[in-house]
Amino acid sequence: MNISGKAKAQHTYDVIVIGSGISGGWAAKEFCEKGYKTLVLERGRMVKHLEDYPTAMQDPWQFRHRGELPEAVTTNNPIASRCYAFDETTQHFFVKDQEHPYVQEKPFDWIKGYQVGGKSLLWARQTQRWSDYEFEAPARDGFAIDWPIRYKDLAPWYSYVEKFVGISGTKDQIPNLPDSEVLPAFEMNALEKHLKERIEASYPDRHVIIGRCAHLTAPQKIHVAQGRGQCMARHLCHRGCPFGAYFSSNSSTLPWADATGNLTLLTNQVVESILYDEQKGKAIGVRTVDSKTKLVKEFYARVIFVNASALNTNLILLNSKSARFPQGLGNDNGLLGHYIAFHNYRGNILASFDGLRDQYYYGRRPTSIFMPSFRNVFRQETDFLRGYMIAFSASRAGWSQQLEGIGSDYKDQLTEAGPWQVFMMMQGETIPRYENHVRLSDLEKDSWGIPQLITSVDYTDNDLKLMHDFLEQGSAMLEQSGCKVTARIDRKDAPGLDIHEMGGVRMGKDPKTSLLNKWNQLHQCKNVFVTDGACMTSTGNQNPSLTYMALTARAVDYAAMALQKNDGTV
């Protein structure tokens, strides 16, 4: 359809942001603060902070199945139900398997959250900066392509977003984990402190620190201004936080953008494609399909930010075809949708510890301890590329432990904490490969008439070698610390269940080998920007959301200055 005259003017904005999740919320905040009329298009329903967290304050006995999923739900949702956060208390924030189908050429668990705030309501809230050991890795180690930026380009933007978001943690002076702007950290428990002492004494190049996470332990003035409060350590975060204590688009960036008077937020708008004007040589707007009525609309803007989450961003650009771009918007080199990567979570270790029976802990801390990557950081030392970070935690078995007996003796045992146990997991870097890709189906369409996405992503021998190294090194560190390893597990998860999918619209210096430049602009369509996970050239081993936020704030700053100059830069 085409809109003209007064109707078109009513559908015209300075900026369109596709998606309201972590990066989309930041794009909206930044543009609105700078005075630009900004339209945010969300394909899902409205979720208002405080009002739309129906289970946030419920007790276990208020759920029919005590939080567990009925068999019918897991049977009908084999993909979504594999996600650790999908249960009876949170299922309303997840897309069910049949609601947005896709074609798995190879097994891929695509976890989706379609609502205002997206998966910022569901993320694990772990935040670590990248260092030049990550930005320089592809060029140094000979994979993918060189990043067009370095740590110094992003460092001030990390600080900028960290102060607004609120990150708890410590300053640790680790070369490959630059310090963040932090609030007071959560405390390690007795066994975790013991593990830190023993591991660092035995392995001087390995650091055990408390996890840096987007939780307000001591709200600052900027957080109070957002209407957010202190974390209560309830660890019910995936239900939506009624205190606004953890960062989400719903509690932070979107209300901040709305307060400027420059935000328009439309829900149930599935973006079908980006509209390209052949004569102007730029994008002019987007076409949407109402998720409920199927009504098609067009919206117009000078600049478009695509923040639909990595795979949906790839889908939108691939489906944005024109005479100029028959393979998808900006896709002259045919690389759009290729070099999809993710994080390798397959390895887990379980261990027990006999001791410290007189020590316990308080609260349900929303983070763990973790170890920054120590493999292949300063030199290549293994037969695999790159490395992994380790997240682990110690706890004592509670009333649900397996006990013997009956009557009063049994009840007395329930009041005593059980033995200490340790859980350890990996988060490994995967190497982007051309073969790992997504593309559009020629046959299958979704309920909105848009081609379904085909996922063709798999592990490599490098990933398996990296996992086996984690299982070996993690076990050795635990045993050196006095623990008894009880299980070394290859979870055999399909790619995607890490929920850290990245790539497909990667940044780079050369338009022949990349889609985006150093400012996250499409090389071939300068007024379209991508700042979600799709833009990533490589994955690092860190949790990626903080980097998405910093890249978004930086790109908006550049785009806003270009709009002000009106010199054709965008």
Side-chain angles (χ1 to χ4, degrees):
M1 65 178 289
N2 291 297
I3 302 174
S4 60
K6 183 178 179 180
K8 182 173 182 179
Q10 291 174 344
H11 286 77
T12 298
Y13 302 82
D14 295 320
V15 179
I16 292 174
V17 178
I18 302 172
S20 63
I22 277 182
S23 61
W26 263 96
K29 169 195 173 292
E30 293 297 293
F31 274 120
C32 287
E33 252 187 325
K34 296 176 188 299
Y36 292 98
K37 297 297 182 182
T38 303
L39 171 66
V40 173
L41 295 169
E42 168 55 51
R43 68 180 295 152
R45 64 187 176 90
M46 173 60 73
V47 172
K48 290 186 177 180
H49 180 52
L50 300 179
E51 295 179 28
D52 294 324
Y53 305 151
T55 63
M57 302 301 289
Q58 288 186 287
D59 292 307
W61 54 86
Q62 293 179 282
F63 296 96
R64 183 178 180 185
H65 305 98
R66 300 298 189 267
E68 298 296 320
L69 287 169
E71 184 178 359
V73 175
T74 57
T75 300
N76 292 330
N77 296 279
I79 297 169
S81 62
R82 282 195 279 270
C83 178
Y84 70 96
F86 183 73
D87 61 27
E88 188 180 25
T89 74
T90 62
Q91 59 181 315
H92 48 283
F93 289 145
F94 285 84
V95 176
K96 308 309 184 289
D97 288 6
Q98 299 305 312
E99 292 174 351
H100 188 193
Y102 61 103
V103 181
Q104 299 181 64
E105 189 169 83
K106 297 179 180 179
F108 188 94
D109 292 335
W110 186 8
I111 307 300
K112 304 179 286 290
Y114 295 161
Q115 62 260 325
V116 170
K119 287 181 288 189
S120 76
L121 289 169
L122 298 166
W123 68 311
R125 307 165 307 283
Q126 302 304 298
T127 49
Q128 308 102 30
R129 293 189 183 194
W130 276 37
S131 72
D132 275 333
Y133 292 101
E134 287 73 52
F135 285 113
E136 294 175 357
R140 183 184 66 243
D141 296 341
F143 66 89
I145 57 170
D146 190 13
W147 277 85
I149 60 174
R150 292 294 186 263
Y151 175 68
K152 63 180 176 60
D153 298 305
L154 213 53
W157 296 103
Y158 276 134
S159 292
Y160 178 74
V161 301
E162 286 164 347
K163 291 174 181 176
F164 191 86
V165 167
I167 308 295
S168 69
T170 52
K171 290 186 178 291
D172 304 291
Q173 297 183 325
I174 300 171
N176 58 313
L177 189 76
D179 287 336
S180 291
E181 308 284 346
V182 290
L183 303 173
F186 288 94
E187 187 178 359
M188 296 183 189
N189 62 41
L191 180 51
E192 291 167 346
K193 291 176 181 177
H194 169 82
L195 293 173
K196 174 181 172 65
E197 180 182 347
R198 294 288 295 271
I199 290 173
E200 291 183 346
S202 301
Y203 303 89
D205 63 333
R206 304 181 189 185
H207 307 276
V208 178
I209 66 176
I210 191 68
R212 300 176 192 171
C213 60
H215 283 256
L216 299 180
T217 51
Q220 303 299 296
K221 184 177 180 180
I222 187 63
H223 308 125
V224 175
Q226 295 172 45
R228 299 167 61 199
Q230 183 173 338
C231 179
M232 299 288 119
R234 305 187 319 148
H235 198 44
L236 302 176
C237 312
H238 298 117
R239 302 184 190 184
C241 181
F243 309 101
Y246 79 75
F247 173 83
S248 69
S249 295
N250 308 65
S251 66
S252 181
T253 47
L254 290 176
W256 196 270
D258 189 52
T260 68
N262 292 320
L263 175 68
T264 300
L265 173 60
L266 297 181
T267 57
N268 302 308
Q269 296 299 307
V270 180
V271 174
E272 184 257 5
S273 61
I274 296 171
L275 306 172
Y276 183 79
D277 189 300
E278 308 280 345
Q279 294 182 329
K280 294 181 179 179
K282 61 172 60 177
I284 57 171
V286 303
R287 181 178 291 120
T288 69
V289 181
D290 190 288
S291 63
K292 293 185 175 180
T293 68
K294 307 301 190 292
L295 179 66
V296 177
K297 295 181 180 179
E298 291 182 357
F299 301 92
Y300 303 89
R302 297 166 63 190
V303 168
I304 299 168
F305 266 58
V306 192
N307 300 92
S309 83
L311 295 194
N312 270 322
T313 288
N314 276 275
L315 192 161
I316 291 168
L317 292 174
L318 285 165
N319 200 46
S320 299
K321 299 178 180 180
S322 62
R324 170 66 183 84
F325 295 111
Q327 301 182 91
L329 185 62
N331 192 24
D332 284 351
N333 55 27
L335 296 180
L336 180 60
H338 289 272
Y339 297 100
I340 299 294
F342 53 97
H343 277 146
N344 179 355
Y345 273 42
R346 281 177 55 168
N348 286 172
I349 302 172
L350 304 179
S352 61
F353 181 82
D354 186 15
L356 298 176
R357 291 297 185 101
D358 60 341
Q359 299 291 311
Y360 201 63
Y361 44 89
Y362 177 79
R364 291 177 287 191
R365 190 186 62 199
T367 190
S368 63
I369 56 176
F370 83 100
M371 179 182 293
S373 180
F374 56 88
R375 280 304 204 203
N376 304 322
V377 177
F378 308 110
R379 65 187 185 281
Q380 183 64 36
E381 57 185 339
T382 68
D383 63 349
F384 58 84
L385 290 175
R386 309 304 297 140
Y388 48 87
M389 60 166 276
I390 297 174
F392 54 121
S393 57
S395 61
R396 295 188 68 176
W399 61 268
S400 60
Q401 61 184 302
Q402 296 295 317
L403 301 174
E404 296 181 356
I406 193 170
S408 60
D409 288 343
Y410 180 80
K411 288 189 287 185
D412 287 342
Q413 290 181 71
L414 292 178
T415 66
E416 298 294 327
W420 285 96
Q421 50 202 3
V422 179
F423 170 75
M424 181 177 276
M425 61 177 285
M426 64 178 291
Q427 183 169 287
E429 180 168 356
T430 62
I431 305 303
R433 302 165 61 238
Y434 178 84
E435 294 80 5
N436 281 347
H437 73 281
V438 295
R439 65 185 191 275
L440 300 182
S441 172
D442 294 326
L443 302 174
E444 303 293 334
K445 293 190 175 182
D446 59 28
S447 61
W448 309 287
I450 299 171
Q452 290 188 23
L453 197 68
I454 299 173
T455 58
S456 186
V457 181
D458 206 350
Y459 293 98
T460 67
D461 287 342
N462 196 81
D463 301 320
L464 299 181
K465 288 179 179 179
L466 187 147
M467 179 194 68
H468 288 305
D469 188 78
F470 158 73
L471 293 174
E472 179 182 313
Q473 294 298 316
S475 297
M477 287 187 286
L478 290 174
E479 290 171 351
Q480 179 69 23
S481 303
C483 297
K484 179 182 178 182
V485 172
T486 56
R488 297 174 13 144
I489 303 166
D490 175 2
R491 291 166 50 93
K492 293 183 166 49
D493 293 333
L497 198 57
D498 57 290
I499 325 178
H500 289 178
E501 60 268 14
M502 296 176 240
V505 198
R506 65 181 180 180
M507 298 173 69
K509 300 173 182 177
D510 187 347
K512 294 180 181 179
T513 58
S514 61
L515 279 299
L516 305 170
N517 67 13
K518 65 180 181 179
W519 301 112
N520 295 81
Q521 290 174 288
L522 282 176
H523 288 299
Q524 309 299 346
C525 189
K526 297 290 189 184
N527 66 331
V528 174
F529 293 72
V530 176
T531 62
D532 63 10
C535 78
M536 300 292 277
T537 307
S538 60
T539 71
N541 60 83
Q542 298 92 332
N543 293 72
S545 298
L546 180 65
T547 297
Y548 302 163
M549 291 188 271
L551 286 169
T552 301
R554 177 176 179 268
V556 170
D557 187 67
Y558 172 81
M561 288 191 292
L563 282 172
Q564 190 173 14
K565 292 177 183 177
N566 197 27
D567 60 359
T569 308
V570 297

